[in-house]
Amino acid sequence: MKNFVVHQLLYHAVITHPEQVIVSDGKQFTFRQFYSRVVKLADSLSKHGVKKGTVIGVLDVNTHRFLEMHFACSMLGAVLHTINFRLAPEQMVYSMVHTGDEWVFVSDVFAPAVKPLFPKFPNWVLMSDNREQSLPETRSAFHYEDLLEQGEEKEPAGAAQVKENDIFSIFYTTGTTGKPKGIQYKHKTLLYGTLQLFHHLALHKYGARVSSRNVYMPLIPFFHIHAWGMAFFPIYVGAKLVLPGTADPAGQMALIQKEKVSWMNMVPTQLQMLLDQKGFSNINVLTGGSPFASGIAQKAQDAGVNFSLIYGGSDQLATAISVVPEEVEPDTAEALEWRRVGMRPLPLVEVSLRDKSGNEVPHDGKSLGAVW
């Protein structure tokens, strides 16, 4: 790898798995076709003045266009602001102003809701298949597909100058007090975090085990740490990727069956809704983000859902994932409890419990402390 940066993953994937596919919005793109779209988009944006350090906000669900923006921004050295659509409207505006969005890409799903914001930001791109849809009345506005077609199929001149310590993206948390907090991710941070997370999952026999043979469908949105690394991992291993867009649980179930999805990530509430769908079984699931009730865990196990629980917060991709020790029988109540709460730090991650004075507490299964 020339540079440890996001777009190098796509270069590698096109060479090694050119005919592997990404499914999105009822369409299918091979990695080769996807790469062609990405470089055209990057070239077009370069012609319109986007350069290293330009901040680009994207407001979208998990679609191929949002994924294309990841790699186009990487090639240009632009900073991708993955806009958190779960923020309150005034907080979302705050995040866009605070991070200095110079371009805003918005899907037709969200465009009506953000119409009052059009005058606040100079450059808008509408992400839609419908090129007849009215564009924002701003200084500079484009339909995504028109913008893409203005580009040539060539790598941007500055792509080789993007470095691993450059900022790749910014994400604003919902937080619990005050205004949303912005977190900057370097290329290196995200790629190391993704490899740590999925290396950990590949090492252990039970739970949400991963391999290149899986068909992946992330329900965690791209705005949240790039769907917990799922914007990168399937590309990295050359696996099929299915993007659910706006699909509800019934629509997600239809995609699972049609595309033979075998690995997903989601919060426990989403898992509960899918467990209520007929036929949801024999799938590996990485879940987390909120408490995982024992009742849902039991229901998942009964359905043949192999789950692991992720813990970590937003400062890094993950800190720990639940693991069933080798000496524990897999189909037992003890194993189920290990999968629900038995956290093990990711490779090269150090975790300790500290008391109020910052002193490490004993590892005796009884002492309480804060996670450091």
Side-chain angles (χ1 to χ4, degrees):
M1 185 175 282
K2 295 178 183 177
N3 292 309
F4 199 53
V5 292
V6 166
H7 59 272
Q8 284 293 144
L9 298 183
L10 185 56
Y11 292 162
H12 178 75
V14 171
I15 293 170
T16 56
H17 301 89
E19 301 307 313
Q20 186 56 277
V21 297
I22 297 167
V23 177
S24 174
D25 290 338
K27 297 182 286 291
Q28 183 171 285
F29 304 90
T30 66
F31 282 7
R32 193 195 308 274
Q33 292 168 331
F34 181 80
Y35 171 79
S36 174
R37 288 175 58 85
V38 167
V39 292
K40 286 180 180 178
L41 177 61
D43 180 64
S44 179
L45 286 171
S46 177
K47 291 174 180 176
H48 286 282
V50 174
K51 58 186 184 299
K52 190 171 185 178
T54 300
V55 182
I56 299 179
V58 179
L59 183 59
D60 194 9
V61 292
N62 289 4
T63 66
H64 67 92
R65 293 187 179 96
F66 199 167
L67 188 62
E68 288 162 3
M69 287 299 299
H70 282 71
F71 295 98
C73 284
S74 177
M75 289 178 182
L76 293 166
V79 178
L80 177 65
H81 172 204
T82 57
I83 299 173
N84 184 346
F85 55 72
R86 295 206 173 113
L87 292 173
E90 65 276 9
Q91 292 180 328
M92 189 170 68
V93 174
Y94 167 81
S95 74
M96 295 166 71
V97 172
H98 186 258
T99 203
D101 289 354
E102 299 170 57
W103 288 71
V104 181
F105 284 65
V106 59
S107 73
D108 50 5
V109 174
F110 296 108
V114 298
K115 189 174 182 179
L117 303 184
F118 290 165
K120 294 181 180 292
F121 302 93
N123 305 295
W124 287 82
V125 179
L126 185 61
M127 306 166 82
S128 171
D129 284 328
N130 180 11
R131 301 194 198 189
E132 303 303 317
Q133 193 168 348
S134 298
L135 288 168
E137 295 180 3
T138 60
R139 187 181 73 196
S140 174
F142 305 88
H143 282 292
Y144 183 96
E145 296 299 328
D146 291 341
L147 183 66
L148 187 149
E149 289 179 1
Q150 293 175 18
E152 299 178 53
E153 193 170 338
K154 64 179 184 180
E155 177 185 309
Q161 305 308 313
V162 180
K163 303 301 181 184
E164 64 179 30
N165 284 313
D166 291 340
I167 301 300
F168 170 70
S169 64
I170 300 176
F171 161 61
Y172 281 76
T173 66
T174 51
T176 54
T177 59
K179 295 178 179 178
K181 309 299 189 296
I183 302 171
Q184 295 182 331
Y185 299 105
K186 297 178 181 179
H187 287 259
K188 177 175 68 176
T189 304
L190 283 173
L191 294 182
Y192 277 137
T194 298
L195 296 181
Q196 281 179 301
L197 194 161
F198 289 97
H199 178 67
H200 182 98
L201 289 171
L203 283 174
H204 299 287
K205 186 175 181 180
Y206 306 110
R209 195 172 189 186
V210 295
S211 82
S212 60
R213 295 182 296 277
N214 285 125
V215 176
Y216 293 89
M217 188 167 89
L219 297 191
I220 298 300
F222 280 147
F223 79 70
H224 191 245
I225 328 177
H226 309 283
W228 297 349
M230 284 296 289
F232 313 122
F233 183 72
I235 304 292
Y236 170 69
V237 296
K240 181 177 178 180
L241 175 62
V242 180
L243 299 174
T246 58
D248 61 11
Q252 293 161 9
M253 193 65 229
L255 278 172
I256 290 167
Q257 294 174 333
K258 180 181 178 182
E259 304 297 340
K260 297 180 171 54
V261 172
S262 58
W263 196 101
M264 303 176 71
N265 62 14
M266 63 191 76
V267 297
T269 303
Q270 292 170 311
L271 177 56
Q272 176 66 70
M273 289 189 288
L274 280 172
L275 286 168
D276 291 337
Q277 297 290 316
K278 184 178 179 180
F280 185 74
S281 62
N282 299 317
I283 290 180
N284 292 358
V285 171
L286 183 63
T287 188
S290 63
F292 194 46
S294 57
I296 300 177
Q298 185 64 59
K299 189 174 181 179
Q301 179 167 281
D302 293 344
V305 173
N306 304 305
F307 69 87
S308 298
L309 196 69
I310 187 172
Y311 171 85
S314 300
D315 290 339
Q316 61 186 56
L317 196 59
T319 299
I321 294 176
S322 62
V323 168
V324 178
E326 292 292 332
E327 64 272 15
V328 175
E329 290 295 323
D331 298 321
T332 62
E334 183 183 4
L336 182 62
E337 191 65 5
W338 271 103
R339 289 163 65 190
R340 194 174 74 86
V341 298
M343 295 296 172
R344 182 172 295 178
L346 270 60
L348 306 180
V349 173
E350 295 182 5
V351 177
S352 64
L353 289 180
R354 307 289 180 102
D355 61 22
K356 292 181 179 180
S357 300
N359 300 311
E360 192 166 351
V361 302
H363 292 197
D364 56 9
K366 300 176 183 178
S367 301
L368 301 178
V371 177
W372 283 43

